[in-house]
Amino acid sequence: MADTRQTSPDTRVEDRSRQDHPDHLAAFGDAAIRQARNSAAFWAALGSSRGHEVIRRRGFLAVLGGERAGTRILLQEPDLDAHGLAELTELAGRSTGPVDAEDPFSSTDLSHLGLRNWQMPIMVRPPGPVPAPAMEVIRVQRTDELRTAEQIVIEGFELTRFTPYRPGELFPTTLTEQPGVDVFLAVLDGEAAGAGVTVVHDGFGGHYWVGTASAHRSRGVGRAVMLGSLAPMANLPVTLTASQLGRPLYESLGFTAVTSSTWWSSQ
């Protein structure tokens, strides 16, 4: 998810942009499956870099983390069959940490797991030119840069499960060695001010964890991170799942809300 810094679920997804531009429906009709595949690629890469078990099934992908990282489940097709649902339920039941699940099709009922749920829009940007950001944005290459990005994301998204901070727990050193994964930092007045992660998979780009350090908010940092990380993917369609807070920014950058994703969480 590109930006989840919100205190209440965004339960109303109004795809007015689709109504105003019906051609988007035809152009982005497979947005849910594209987001499902890209998100699975992201979490598989993250899980592999952490040394967590990654389970791949036709209907879902699961990453089995520990007490702090928890279990992440990514639905990969609508209307999960009974066998898949039973296995998913078993995996969630034996998790030693939090359980989080994404259903970009909003079609599988996971209420029996006792998780809260909410909806967020899946947004897509077609290929096209990307303006230059108003501040420097660098592609992370060094370990110290990755640690800085890690801390910005933990703070910006209030990921309390990863506190107290343990370097490399959220973003292992090998994360940027995973195929298609890049981490970016925005630099403002000589200080790292924002961060984000992108994944390129099967001809689509995706944005995750675009966050701003608290000391630099409301200064255009999030926009800069997005522009700087969009530039290498300018020739690709790009998808993300937006929070209520982030949606106006993404719309201003050419993203269109085309469908809604249901998220489930034990926290």
Side-chain angles (χ1 to χ4, degrees):
M1 174 168 47
D3 188 345
T4 56
R5 290 186 293 106
Q6 59 178 15
T7 57
S8 60
D10 180 11
T11 58
R12 295 178 298 173
V13 180
E14 300 177 5
D15 295 336
R16 288 171 293 182
S17 54
R18 285 176 61 182
Q19 298 169 7
D20 295 339
H21 303 284
D23 58 305
H24 283 300
L25 181 60
F28 302 136
D30 61 349
I33 194 69
R34 289 292 191 173
Q35 175 61 22
R37 299 293 188 263
N38 196 276
S39 186
F42 167 63
W43 282 99
L46 190 60
S48 295
S49 67
R50 291 174 176 172
H52 294 164
E53 182 180 2
V54 178
I55 296 176
R56 302 174 188 270
R57 299 290 185 264
R58 176 178 177 178
F60 68 88
L61 180 140
V63 180
L64 310 184
E67 182 178 351
R68 301 217 311 175
T71 294
R72 193 85 180 195
I73 299 168
L74 298 310
L75 276 295
Q76 295 295 288
E77 60 182 23
D79 301 319
L80 193 64
D81 63 27
H83 177 76
L85 185 59
E87 185 177 11
L88 181 156
T89 299
E90 189 272 332
L91 291 173
R94 63 182 172 92
S95 176
T96 60
V99 176
D100 300 285
E102 298 177 36
D103 179 7
F105 312 98
S106 294
S107 62
T108 299
D109 185 6
L110 299 180
S111 58
H112 65 285
L113 298 178
L115 310 177
R116 69 185 185 98
N117 71 87
W118 65 98
Q119 288 191 317
M120 292 185 290
I122 292 175
M123 306 186 76
V124 180
R125 182 186 190 272
V130 178
M135 63 192 71
E136 182 183 14
V137 178
I138 63 172
R139 191 194 306 259
V140 166
Q141 297 182 340
R142 304 195 312 261
T143 300
D144 62 311
E145 296 170 341
L146 189 61
R147 295 288 77 81
T148 299
E150 180 179 51
Q151 292 179 75
I152 289 173
V153 169
I154 290 174
E155 178 204 358
F157 285 85
E158 299 178 356
L159 300 179
T160 55
R161 68 178 69 175
F162 291 102
T163 56
Y165 175 60
R166 299 172 185 169
E169 185 179 25
L170 181 66
F171 290 169
T173 303
T174 58
L175 177 60
T176 52
E177 299 172 8
Q178 298 295 316
V181 177
D182 281 301
V183 180
F184 293 85
L185 277 174
V187 181
L188 179 63
D189 299 332
E191 295 184 4
V197 182
T198 64
V199 175
V200 174
H201 175 74
D202 195 24
F204 246 72
H207 274 97
Y208 303 89
W209 280 333
V210 176
T212 303
S214 58
H216 299 287
R217 287 180 186 157
S218 301
R219 300 181 66 184
V221 174
R223 177 178 294 274
V225 173
M226 287 296 298
L227 290 174
S229 57
L230 269 172
M233 303 186 294
N235 63 331
L236 300 175
V238 179
T239 182
L240 57 80
T241 303
S243 69
Q244 185 178 25
L245 183 65
R247 179 171 175 169
L249 168 62
Y250 306 135
E251 289 178 332
S252 73
L253 296 173
F255 284 86
T256 298
V258 292
T259 188
S260 60
S261 176
T262 299
W263 286 51
W264 302 79
S265 179
S266 61
Q267 291 192 337

